[in-house]
Amino acid sequence: VERPAARIHHEMVGGLLLLHAATGVVLSSYLSKVPQGAADKILGIAQAFQRDERAEKVNLVVGAYRDGGGSPWVLPTVREAEQRLIARGQNKEYASIVGVPAFLDRALEFAYGPGCTALSEGRVAAVQTLSGTGACRLAADFYARFLPPGTAAYVSEPTWPNHIPIFETAGLEVRKYRYLGADGRFDVEGMLEDIGQAPAGSVFVLHACAHNPTGVDPTAADWKRISDALLAAGQHILVDMAYQGFASGDARRDAAALSLLAEAGPPPAPPPA
C-alpha cells in the first residue's frame, strides 16, 4: 500500500534553506529518494585529526596558519580590520546583486595591481561570491551557459579535488593537462603540448601561485611560455588565485602570472561559422 506523501515545508532561516515534514505524516516523497552525498575527503581527514588523541599529531590538510597548539592563527591585520568594522557601527544593509562596490574595487586593485591596463580601461568586471568555491562554481556555470556545447574544462594533474566536481556539476566535461612530472618537478613541456592539442576554445584552469596540492609553481619564464601557448591556441583562461600574498609573502609577486595573462589580452575570436 502506497502511503501518502508527506507535506514538505520550506523555510529560510538565516540564509539557510530548511526542509521538514509535517508532524505525524509518514515521509514518502522525493526526499526519501535523495542519496547520501559522499563524504568530503579533505574535511574527513581534518575531522580524523580532531579525534586523534596523540600529542605529536600535525594537521597538514587545510591551508591555514596555525599556532604551536594547532589552533587557527588569525592574522593581526584581520583582527584590526574586524575592530575597525565594529568601531564604525555600520548597518547590515543588503549589498547589490554583484556585491559590495567598495570591496570589489579594492579586490580588483589588489589582484590586478594599480598598473593593470585592462583594469584602468574598465575592461574587468567583478562579482562578489561566497569563497573561492563559490567563485569557481559561478565561473563554471557562466562557461556552461555561454560557451558552445561540448566545451571542456582542463585542470592540472593533480589539482585541488573540488575543481573536478564543481565543473562537472555545472555540466562541463573535465579533462586534465600534464603538470607534475614523475621527478616531482613542473612538466612545462607536457603542459604546453596539452594546451596546443586541446580543442580551441577550451577552458584552462590555472593556479596563480602556491599550486594546490603540489606547491610547485611555474617560473616567470614558464608563465610567459604558457601565456603565449594559450593565446596561440585560442583557449579560455580561468585563474584560481586562492593564496595571493601567502606563497611568497609578496602580493604583487604572487599575482605576477595573473598580471602577465591580463596584459597579454584575450584569445583571438574564432572565425564565424
Side-chain angles (χ1 to χ4, degrees):
V1 177
E2 185 173 345
R3 297 177 179 176
R7 297 190 305 276
I8 305 300
H9 296 274
H10 305 252
E11 58 180 303
M12 294 297 295
V13 178
L16 300 178
L17 176 62
L18 304 181
L19 306 177
H20 57 88
T23 304
V25 181
V26 178
L27 182 62
S28 176
S29 70
Y30 72 96
L31 290 180
S32 65
K33 301 179 179 62
V34 176
Q36 176 68 44
D40 186 280
K41 296 179 180 179
I42 297 175
L43 296 180
I45 297 176
Q47 291 168 354
F49 171 85
Q50 295 295 336
R51 293 192 298 267
D52 195 317
E53 298 180 354
R54 289 174 290 183
E56 66 274 14
K57 65 182 181 180
V58 178
N59 186 352
L60 301 178
V61 179
V62 180
Y65 283 117
R66 297 185 179 276
D67 59 22
S71 299
W73 183 70
V74 181
L75 295 172
T77 50
V78 175
R79 291 291 192 201
E80 175 64 21
E82 290 175 336
Q83 293 304 315
R84 291 185 185 183
L85 287 173
I86 294 173
R88 289 177 188 171
Q90 290 178 293
N91 59 35
K92 308 300 180 183
E93 184 59 85
Y94 274 96
S96 68
I97 192 66
V98 297
V100 180
F103 171 78
L104 294 172
D105 291 342
R106 300 298 183 275
L108 286 175
E109 184 175 335
F110 181 72
Y112 286 88
C116 176
T117 302
L119 194 58
S120 62
E121 293 180 352
R123 294 188 284 111
V124 180
V127 176
Q128 186 174 346
T129 67
L130 179 61
S131 76
T133 304
C136 286
R137 178 55 194 266
L138 191 61
D141 285 342
F142 181 87
Y143 288 135
R145 181 173 180 179
F146 294 106
L147 292 183
T151 298
Y154 283 77
V155 300
S156 62
E157 175 56 54
T159 191
W160 179 48
N162 285 338
H163 275 155
I164 296 174
I166 286 172
F167 283 90
E168 286 182 339
T169 303
L172 296 171
E173 178 187 355
V174 176
R175 301 176 185 174
K176 297 180 179 180
Y177 60 83
R178 282 170 284 179
Y179 190 87
L180 193 68
D183 57 359
R185 298 180 180 180
F186 173 53
D187 183 6
V188 62
E189 300 301 334
M191 180 175 177
L192 293 175
E193 184 176 348
D194 290 342
I195 291 173
Q197 291 182 352
S202 298
V203 177
F204 273 77
V205 182
L206 310 177
H207 300 233
C209 60
H211 180 272
N212 186 354
T214 69
V216 177
D217 291 332
T219 64
D222 290 336
W223 275 119
K224 180 61 171 64
R225 297 179 66 190
I226 293 169
S227 175
D228 291 344
L230 290 165
L231 191 63
Q235 310 296 15
H236 296 284
I237 304 168
L238 175 60
V239 179
D240 188 341
M241 189 163 64
Y243 301 108
Q244 183 186 4
F246 293 94
S248 68
D250 184 332
R252 295 272 42 88
R253 178 180 174 183
D254 289 349
L258 176 63
S259 298
L260 174 68
L261 294 165
E263 290 302 319

